[in-house]
Amino acid sequence: MKKLLKSHTYTLLLAGIVFIFSLFFSMNRNYDNLDNYISVTIDHGDTLWKMAEIYSTDDLSRDEFIEWIITHNEISAKSLVPGESIILPIAKTNLSLASKQ
């Protein structure tokens, strides 16, 4: 066993480095460009279902909208806290265009 580890040290080291980098990049992939989406503050009584109704888009179904919020904000439907800000899957550019109409 010792001989095997000694002969494959560089291979194991390279595999470990590749694994760490892949974890790092996969974790950062979800947070790319989140500044381009609108953020809202949770009020008392707000639910993800209600948010999906208020801010519905043609791009996502209601279930996809809710799943996007859960994934990108790392929350669950039961963990909404009044005063907390969450990001919604609505681009700021779409919001500014709609407000000019």
PDB file of all heavy atoms in Angstrom, residues 3 28 45 63 66 84:
ATOM      1  N   LYS A   3       3.905   1.484  -1.053  1.00  0.00           N
ATOM      2  CA  LYS A   3       4.590   1.560  -2.319  1.00  0.00           C
ATOM      3  C   LYS A   3       3.659   2.131  -3.399  1.00  0.00           C
ATOM      4  O   LYS A   3       4.068   2.930  -4.232  1.00  0.00           O
ATOM      5  CB  LYS A   3       5.052   0.151  -2.714  1.00  0.00           C
ATOM      6  CG  LYS A   3       6.139   0.097  -3.704  1.00  0.00           C
ATOM      7  CD  LYS A   3       6.557  -1.358  -3.913  1.00  0.00           C
ATOM      8  CE  LYS A   3       7.939  -1.401  -4.465  1.00  0.00           C
ATOM      9  NZ  LYS A   3       8.374  -2.774  -4.706  1.00  0.00           N
ATOM     10  N   ASN A  28     -19.781  28.483  -7.561  1.00  0.00           N
ATOM     11  CA  ASN A  28     -19.877  29.859  -8.035  1.00  0.00           C
ATOM     12  C   ASN A  28     -20.764  29.998  -9.260  1.00  0.00           C
ATOM     13  O   ASN A  28     -21.210  31.090  -9.568  1.00  0.00           O
ATOM     14  CB  ASN A  28     -18.487  30.417  -8.346  1.00  0.00           C
ATOM     15  CG  ASN A  28     -17.740  30.760  -7.098  1.00  0.00           C
ATOM     16  OD1 ASN A  28     -18.338  30.987  -6.064  1.00  0.00           O
ATOM     17  ND2 ASN A  28     -16.428  30.788  -7.188  1.00  0.00           N
ATOM     18  N   GLY A  45     -46.244  37.346   6.259  1.00  0.00           N
ATOM     19  CA  GLY A  45     -47.285  36.656   5.516  1.00  0.00           C
ATOM     20  C   GLY A  45     -46.917  36.311   4.087  1.00  0.00           C
ATOM     21  O   GLY A  45     -47.693  35.654   3.391  1.00  0.00           O
ATOM     22  N   ASP A  63     -44.013  26.738 -10.683  1.00  0.00           N
ATOM     23  CA  ASP A  63     -43.136  25.809  -9.969  1.00  0.00           C
ATOM     24  C   ASP A  63     -41.665  26.080 -10.271  1.00  0.00           C
ATOM     25  O   ASP A  63     -40.817  26.008  -9.382  1.00  0.00           O
ATOM     26  CB  ASP A  63     -43.480  24.362 -10.318  1.00  0.00           C
ATOM     27  CG  ASP A  63     -44.828  23.930  -9.765  1.00  0.00           C
ATOM     28  OD1 ASP A  63     -45.289  24.541  -8.773  1.00  0.00           O
ATOM     29  OD2 ASP A  63     -45.420  22.989 -10.319  1.00  0.00           O
ATOM     30  N   ILE A  66     -40.590  29.229  -8.329  1.00  0.00           N
ATOM     31  CA  ILE A  66     -40.340  28.923  -6.911  1.00  0.00           C
ATOM     32  C   ILE A  66     -39.043  28.142  -6.750  1.00  0.00           C
ATOM     33  O   ILE A  66     -38.237  28.435  -5.853  1.00  0.00           O
ATOM     34  CB  ILE A  66     -41.536  28.167  -6.306  1.00  0.00           C
ATOM     35  CG1 ILE A  66     -42.747  29.108  -6.237  1.00  0.00           C
ATOM     36  CG2 ILE A  66     -41.202  27.595  -4.937  1.00  0.00           C
ATOM     37  CD1 ILE A  66     -44.045  28.429  -5.881  1.00  0.00           C
ATOM     38  N   GLU A  84     -36.072  39.878   5.499  1.00  0.00           N
ATOM     39  CA  GLU A  84     -35.013  39.249   4.725  1.00  0.00           C
ATOM     40  C   GLU A  84     -35.181  39.619   3.248  1.00  0.00           C
ATOM     41  O   GLU A  84     -36.290  39.726   2.741  1.00  0.00           O
ATOM     42  CB  GLU A  84     -35.119  37.736   4.892  1.00  0.00           C
ATOM     43  CG  GLU A  84     -34.147  36.927   4.081  1.00  0.00           C
ATOM     44  CD  GLU A  84     -34.374  35.429   4.278  1.00  0.00           C
ATOM     45  OE1 GLU A  84     -35.524  34.992   4.376  1.00  0.00           O
ATOM     46  OE2 GLU A  84     -33.374  34.725   4.305  1.00  0.00           O
TER      47      GLU A  84
END
